[in-house]
Amino acid sequence: MDLEMNLNAPHSMGTTIIGVTYNGGVVLGADSRTSTGMYVANRASDKITQLTDNVYVCRSGSAADSQIVSDYVRYFLHQHTIQLGQSATSKVAANLIRLLSYNNKNMLETGLIVGGWDKYEGGKIYAIPLGGTLIEQPFAIGGSGSSYLYGFFDQAWKEGMTKEEAEVRFVL
Amino acid sequence: MQFMASKQPENSLLGPESDSQRTLYPYVTGTSVVALKYKDGILMAADMGGSYGSTLRYKSVERMKPIGKHSLLGASGEISDFQEILRYLDELILYDNMWDDGNSLGPKEVHNYLTRVMYNRRNKFNPLWNSLVLGGVKNGQKYLGTVSMIGVNFEDNHVATGFGNHLARPILRQEWHENLSFEDGVRLLEKCMRVLLYRDRSAVNKLQ
């Protein structure tokens, strides 16, 4: 009886997603569990989605919402790349996500972290929580599991880490 | 997922109205902004915190931005709506510059524009969830005004939003006078921001 009710609940991800800049770019990390209520619908989901060659996004919140937003943005970025004649910057990707998130804020339920590298600004992390605010940060955490990490990051984060440090300490 | 409690999915079952945005709930919010007129112009202060419900999630949010050549805009409330307002103003200033007529939009004009925008949104039941403070100097004339989420606007010698209204304005009423020097003005603002840090749960100790 319990199981039935829960399977009708919307697929949402009980997620932890992290994006961290280091002195050569960005490192993104995410867990792989998608839950529908109490049941784990997918234990091998890929929450880091590619938008372009150099920009990726970590998805949290409703699985459907975050997937459709990334799909739209990938489509727009593809056209943008063709028009521009060079790869899109992570700022453009983040702003496109922001536009979709903000203009549909009543219907969407997804928090995203955009991370990418471009030749103008290097590695950048942008957090786009519910509501469509765009915040550029040296590191970002999101998802329901991120609450446990605020303290750790506040204490242990420092600028200018190497890739190994960033990966080992924070993401892994 | 604990933040989902504030969202009401029933809204989407309202039929054709579900396409247009209705009353929104603020997600990431900024707290008070305090501003005052001094001898040579305007002084404004805001902290750099962005709260996500009751947790202080972001600690480097810029809630004050210069507008055109003459004005400064500070906002409390939903940060994404503030970012949207900045885009509207960017467009406004751009068109103004394109006239290339030697005139530029002063604080009074920008304040009026913002009042119209906020009031119209409120009439459509789709408010921009912000309280704005607009200050500036043009041709030696100082101007300081405020617009709330529902379109209430007025100008005064000192204004504040949110908690600042209750905590900072009494201090300003007592101690403000015409021809404050820059140092005195800064000291007065610091006093207000300190009180806000003590008593406002969503204040952080990093100021702009």
Side-chain angles (χ1 to χ4, degrees):
Chain A
M1 167 186 54
D2 230 17
L3 207 54
E4 246 173 77
M5 269 169 45
N6 287 330
L7 285 177
N8 289 328
H11 271 66
S12 85
M13 307 186 274
T15 307
T16 312
I17 48 176
I18 306 180
V20 163
T21 57
Y22 68 98
N23 62 10
V26 299
V27 179
L28 297 177
D31 73 314
S32 66
R33 170 180 292 186
T34 306
S35 49
T36 316
M38 285 265 90
Y39 175 66
V40 176
N42 184 355
R43 66 181 174 94
S45 35
D46 185 5
K47 300 187 190 176
I48 307 185
T49 315
Q50 181 173 22
L51 296 179
T52 72
D53 286 341
N54 51 317
V55 180
Y56 285 70
V57 61
C58 299
R59 303 181 285 109
S60 73
S62 151
D65 284 348
S66 59
Q67 279 174 5
I68 201 69
V69 168
S70 358
D71 282 349
Y72 269 115
V73 174
R74 193 180 314 122
Y75 169 63
F76 292 140
L77 279 178
H78 189 202
Q79 294 183 319
H80 175 69
T81 308
I82 294 173
Q83 276 188 320
L84 199 62
Q86 54 189 34
S87 29
T89 62
S90 41
K91 188 187 263 193
V92 166
N95 267 296
L96 283 171
I97 298 218
R98 181 203 82 93
L99 274 175
L100 284 174
S101 287
Y102 179 75
N103 289 323
N104 298 295
K105 66 158 82 178
N106 283 0
M107 295 183 279
L108 291 177
E109 203 179 282
T110 172
L112 299 154
I113 298 183
V114 178
W117 188 95
D118 56 72
K119 65 185 182 194
Y120 300 108
E121 298 197 324
K124 284 283 177 191
I125 293 278
Y126 297 90
I128 300 141
L130 258 48
T133 322
L134 177 72
I135 299 208
E136 198 254 306
Q137 299 175 288
F139 70 88
I141 50 181
S144 41
S146 64
S147 358
Y148 307 106
L149 300 173
Y150 286 112
F152 172 63
F153 268 89
D154 275 344
Q155 185 239 1
W157 165 266
K158 54 188 192 329
E159 288 278 342
M161 293 184 293
T162 65
K163 182 163 176 227
E164 286 64 38
E165 271 185 295
E167 269 183 27
V168 167
R169 290 208 73 193
F170 292 99
V171 180
L172 284 177
Chain B
M1 294 301 113
Q2 58 266 41
F3 302 114
M4 295 310 115
S6 62
K7 188 177 177 346
Q8 288 173 348
E10 292 79 53
N11 269 343
S12 56
L13 296 174
L14 275 177
E17 295 156 339
S18 61
D19 279 350
S20 65
Q21 292 185 327
R22 306 231 68 200
T23 318
L24 307 164
Y25 299 88
Y27 289 107
V28 185
T29 57
T31 182
S32 347
V33 179
V34 188
L36 49 81
K37 281 187 191 166
Y38 76 106
K39 181 159 59 102
D40 303 324
I42 308 286
L43 281 170
M44 197 186 292
D47 68 18
M48 297 187 74
S51 312
Y52 192 71
S54 53
T55 175
L56 257 180
R57 191 159 181 199
Y58 302 106
K59 295 197 281 192
S60 297
V61 179
E62 284 189 2
R63 298 194 291 113
M64 292 195 319
K65 290 275 175 166
I67 311 289
K69 288 193 287 219
H70 301 283
S71 328
L72 191 60
L73 174 67
S76 64
E78 169 69 49
I79 304 288
S80 61
D81 283 343
F82 176 55
Q83 292 178 343
E84 195 68 11
I85 290 175
L86 289 177
R87 270 158 230 273
Y88 289 151
L89 287 174
D90 264 348
E91 207 183 323
L92 186 72
I93 301 286
L94 184 68
Y95 281 138
D96 184 51
N97 286 341
M98 292 207 297
W99 283 107
D100 201 19
D101 57 2
N103 192 15
S104 50
L105 286 173
K108 192 165 193 176
E109 290 86 49
V110 178
H111 185 225
N112 184 266
Y113 175 78
L114 287 172
T115 310
R116 291 298 102 218
V117 168
M118 303 296 273
Y119 185 61
N120 271 298
R121 292 286 296 251
R122 163 259 192 205
N123 283 342
K124 296 186 225 169
F125 276 96
N126 182 15
L128 289 163
W129 209 281
N130 291 116
S131 291
L132 304 168
V133 173
L134 199 297
V137 189
K138 187 176 173 189
N139 299 331
Q141 286 270 44
K142 305 177 287 227
Y143 184 88
L144 182 61
T146 176
V147 192
S148 79
M149 157 174 125
I150 48 179
V152 175
N153 76 305
F154 53 91
E155 40 163 331
D156 204 346
N157 292 323
H158 46 81
V159 296
T161 63
F163 253 86
N165 266 314
H166 302 112
L167 295 175
R169 291 204 75 193
I171 302 178
L172 292 167
R173 270 182 221 128
Q174 280 270 48
E175 307 204 5
W176 186 89
H177 57 87
E178 287 279 350
N179 292 321
L180 272 172
S181 72
F182 181 74
E183 291 76 24
D184 279 342
V186 171
R187 211 173 309 131
L188 195 48
L189 270 185
E190 274 176 8
K191 192 169 176 185
C192 295
M193 297 311 283
R194 193 172 307 127
V195 170
L196 284 171
L197 185 62
Y198 289 151
R199 294 290 180 178
D200 183 358
R201 178 184 66 178
S202 26
V204 295
N205 56 0
K206 195 166 161 196
L207 299 182
Q208 231 183 324

